[in-house]
Amino acid sequence: LRDHGARVISHPVDATSKEQLEMMASDQSLADFVVFNFPHTGANQTSLGQRGLERSIESNRSLLDAFFAALSDSTNLVGQHTRIHVTLKSTRPYADWGLPYIARQRGFALLRKFAFPREFMGQSGYAHETTVRNLRVQVNLESAEVHEFIRLQR
């Protein structure tokens, strides 16, 4: 991506922090894209039964809400032409998170969805990691979709 002129942030960023998001706009120019691939709080969604699944869904909804709230409050990162890309699997429980609804509540409209470009991202050095510590498995990303949003007029 860098070879094509993209500014890539390769260190941890709290995507729910307006201050950290705005620090990324160091040259005071609005971002063309903000990308959040596979957001997840790490809340256990399998071993705790239905209650654990519901808690995981709720915690991830809160994460997405905080992310879009930080973007909405940002004055020097996100403009009318900035594209926000959030990648999630299209299967349950991820589909239950209500991503388009959450974004809309924070002033962002869903433009389109498209398949996550696994091959291109892999060639560009992207490696998917899970939130389970020390888990080294190949994650099936076939159902992954990129949701593209723009900020609504204020």
Side-chain angles (χ1 to χ4, degrees), residues 4-77:
H4 297 284
R7 182 165 176 246
V8 177
I9 306 299
S10 58
H11 57 81
V13 172
D14 178 354
T16 66
S17 167
K18 172 190 164 199
E19 292 76 20
Q20 286 192 26
L21 291 175
E22 288 192 338
M23 282 187 343
M24 293 188 303
S26 60
D27 63 359
Q28 300 302 315
S29 63
L30 298 174
D32 294 318
F33 293 90
V34 175
V35 179
F36 195 0
N37 285 329
F38 305 100
H40 199 286
T41 63
N44 192 320
Q45 60 192 26
T46 56
S47 66
L48 301 175
Q50 185 63 29
R51 190 166 146 238
L53 178 61
E54 290 168 2
R55 281 196 304 208
S56 174
I57 291 169
E58 190 55 41
S59 73
N60 285 293
R61 284 177 179 164
S62 294
L63 170 65
L64 292 171
D65 183 59
F67 170 66
F68 280 102
L71 291 176
S72 182
D73 291 342
S74 171
T75 57
N76 69 342
L77 179 66

Side-chain angles (χ1 to χ4, degrees), residues 100-143:
Y101 176 79
I102 291 167
R104 184 69 169 197
Q105 295 304 304
R106 292 296 184 172
F108 293 86
L110 178 65
L111 281 181
R112 64 185 177 132
K113 294 190 292 187
F114 56 92
F116 179 67
R118 297 183 322 268
E119 188 172 314
F120 170 77
M121 293 299 285
Q123 291 170 350
S124 300
Y126 176 81
H128 184 72
E129 294 184 19
T130 70
T131 55
V132 179
R133 297 191 200 303
N134 301 318
L135 181 64
R136 301 285 180 231
V137 298
Q138 186 69 22
V139 177
N140 184 350
L141 300 178
E142 299 238 349
S143 69

